[in-house]
Amino acid sequence: MNKVSETKKIWWMIKKDLLVLWRHKPRLFSILLFPILMIALFGYGMGGEIENIPVVIVKQTDGPVTDATLNAIKGMSLYNVKDIISDPQRGREMVESGQVKAAILLPSDYENLASSNSKSVVVYVDSSDQMATQMLVPATQALFSQISSQIGMKKLEALQSQSSPIQVQSQGVQSSSSLSSINFQNIMNSINFQVNKIYGDTKYIDFLVPAILAMTVMMGAMMSMGESLAGERERGELARLFMTPTSVSTVVAGKIISRLVIQTTTAMVLLGSAIILFNITISGSMILTILLLILIALCFVGFGIMVSARVGTQEDYVQMVMPFSMPMMFISGVFYPLETMPWIFQKIAYIAPLTYANDAMRGVMLKGAGIGDIWVDIAVLLGFTLLFFAMGVTRFNRDI
């Protein structure tokens, strides 16, 4: 009898938990959606290949060799040719401004097969994106090595056709001597490939740290707001606070300032540790780096307030935040370039605040960018911040 009674109690508890979950639709939706998002992002991100890296080609001559080279580049999935221009300086500026990852410069004598000198193909690459650089440089070098061999074969064919069989027989030793004097190595190495890394040699840790800083601030700000507002509401602390003559704006302002101080301090500790342990250097302004960290913290504190404004428990808050926070880590270019993702995820990345936070942090720390270079990122982050706070404060329910 007791065993039957205990079994009924266990079944009742299971039924109760399922009913509670069914009544909390946001939590149920999160539980069902989150695993699908994570396996898709892991599969397409970690398991994908880097493709469609934006590049610009600078051609300074026209002809069959140039056309064949352009077709070869366009035919490779690694490259996404954004433009074909004729100004080398403009090509470098496009790399420096972040419009493309690399500029491939074909020289003005590219079509001159009669010249015995090697043609210098120069590639300007955005070395701040260390993973894209690792893919671009060897692939481009291999491509032009193949093209160089093909040009060399054409030169040899041209040399052989200069003398007819009759001339060779009549000249005898003189013809043999002229052929032996040819430097076949120079002929086959018709292209001299040069790589200019605009921001110098960067290690993966250099590429990773700016985004890790932004991600740490994001996760800390969002998760701490769950305990700070949703947790206090669940424990009844907010209800007791609102029994006193305290306004919603006062409570929200206090939470903002406290979380901002904590998350900025955490980020500074992480930055200092990276500098000491891994010799990370900041190419830009340290003050601007700190101000960016404060803005990022403010943005995601606002996100936490927006979500916690309407939830009644800390568990509900966590379940609602996770489908936003975890995918942002993978689609915003923290660990690997956006080019590894399917195009739909690349588009989604541009509506994620962390994408702009990562871009701004890398711009300052790796490229030495100033406010004028990252003003778009700053404007977008400010826009998100204002939106989150407006929605959070206006929808804040002090009675839940």
Side-chain angles (χ1 to χ4, degrees):
M1 183 67 181
N2 288 335
K3 291 182 178 180
V4 174
S5 177
E6 293 299 320
T7 301
K8 287 183 178 180
K9 290 179 180 179
I10 292 174
W11 171 246
W12 178 83
M13 292 174 65
I14 295 173
K15 185 177 179 181
K16 179 186 75 70
D17 287 342
L18 292 176
L19 285 173
V20 169
L21 181 60
W22 179 256
R23 290 167 183 167
H24 290 75
K25 292 299 190 295
R27 189 190 305 178
L28 177 62
F29 180 74
S30 172
I31 290 174
L32 296 177
L33 178 64
F34 185 67
I36 299 174
L37 282 175
M38 293 309 297
I39 192 63
L41 291 170
F42 267 111
Y44 287 118
M46 296 296 189
E49 297 180 355
I50 298 181
E51 295 182 343
N52 298 316
I53 299 177
V55 300
V56 63
I57 300 175
V58 180
K59 68 167 188 173
Q60 303 175 69
T61 185
D62 293 300
V65 180
T66 301
D67 293 340
T69 302
L70 295 179
N71 291 332
I73 294 174
K74 291 178 180 179
M76 296 179 64
S77 61
L78 178 67
Y79 305 101
N80 177 14
V81 179
K82 292 295 186 181
D83 201 359
I84 299 175
I85 60 178
S86 59
D87 184 2
Q89 183 60 32
R90 172 61 183 155
R92 176 171 181 142
E93 289 173 356
M94 290 179 69
V95 179
E96 291 176 341
S97 64
Q99 298 178 55
V100 294
K101 295 293 184 183
I104 302 173
L105 278 61
L106 305 181
S108 57
D109 62 343
Y110 197 64
E111 291 289 335
N112 187 4
L113 297 180
S115 174
S116 60
N117 297 326
S118 296
K119 301 167 180 58
S120 295
V121 173
V122 180
V123 176
Y124 290 106
V125 63
D126 178 4
S127 55
S128 67
D129 190 336
Q130 193 258 0
M131 295 188 69
T133 301
Q134 282 187 337
M135 293 296 296
L136 274 171
V137 172
T140 308
Q141 187 171 16
L143 174 63
F144 279 100
S145 177
Q146 182 181 359
I147 294 173
S148 178
S149 298
Q150 294 174 355
I151 293 175
M153 292 300 295
K154 290 182 181 293
K155 285 184 177 182
L156 287 176
E157 291 173 2
L159 285 173
Q160 290 173 357
S161 65
Q162 287 176 1
S163 299
S164 65
I166 298 176
Q167 290 174 324
V168 173
Q169 290 177 4
S170 64
Q171 292 175 357
V173 177
Q174 183 180 355
S175 176
S176 175
S177 175
S178 63
L179 286 173
S180 63
S181 65
I182 297 175
N183 190 329
F184 290 97
Q185 187 66 31
N186 287 343
I187 291 176
M188 298 306 294
N189 294 335
S190 299
I191 295 178
N192 179 26
F193 185 76
Q194 299 178 15
V195 178
N196 287 339
K197 297 181 179 180
I198 292 181
Y199 302 107
D201 290 318
T202 58
K203 304 184 292 294
Y204 181 61
I205 189 67
D206 298 320
F207 170 78
L208 195 61
V209 164
I212 289 294
L213 284 169
M215 185 191 71
T216 301
V217 171
M218 177 197 77
M219 295 297 294
M222 292 171 67
M223 292 305 161
S224 64
M225 289 309 300
E227 192 281 330
S228 185
L229 282 178
E232 290 183 9
R233 177 182 282 129
E234 184 178 7
R235 295 190 297 269
E237 295 176 12
L238 278 183
R240 290 193 293 271
L241 180 62
F242 284 130
M243 290 178 184
T244 65
T246 304
S247 65
V248 170
S249 58
T250 300
V251 173
V252 172
K255 297 299 182 182
I256 291 171
I257 295 173
S258 64
R259 293 298 117 185
L260 199 58
V261 170
I262 293 172
Q263 296 310 317
T264 303
T265 302
T266 302
M268 292 302 299
V269 171
L270 182 60
L271 178 60
S273 300
I275 293 173
I276 295 172
L277 297 177
F278 302 105
N279 197 29
I280 297 297
T281 58
I282 298 177
S283 300
S285 167
M286 174 66 79
I287 295 177
L288 182 56
T289 302
I290 296 172
L291 290 176
L292 277 175
L293 289 173
I294 294 174
L295 175 58
I296 295 167
L298 193 61
C299 178
F300 289 108
V301 165
F303 184 91
I305 290 176
M306 179 185 69
V307 175
S308 62
R310 303 294 296 180
V311 299
T313 67
Q314 190 171 349
E315 185 177 359
D316 284 344
Y317 176 87
V318 172
Q319 292 296 337
M320 290 182 67
V321 163
M322 291 298 284
F324 292 98
S325 60
M326 293 299 289
M328 268 199 289
M329 292 168 53
F330 293 97
I331 67 172
S332 299
V334 175
F335 301 105
Y336 45 84
L338 298 180
E339 288 78 16
T340 60
M341 306 295 291
W343 69 270
I344 184 64
F345 287 153
Q346 294 183 36
K347 301 303 181 184
I348 294 174
Y350 290 105
I351 60 174
L354 188 59
T355 300
Y356 301 93
N358 291 339
D359 189 62
M361 290 295 293
R362 285 189 174 124
V364 175
M365 294 182 65
L366 296 180
K367 302 178 181 180
I371 293 180
D373 301 309
I374 59 171
W375 70 269
V376 173
D377 296 318
I378 294 175
V380 173
L381 287 172
L382 284 172
F384 274 117
T385 302
L386 294 175
L387 175 65
F388 293 154
F389 278 116
M391 294 181 66
V393 174
T394 57
R395 297 175 66 247
F396 193 91
N397 193 336
R398 56 185 289 168
D399 298 323
I400 292 180

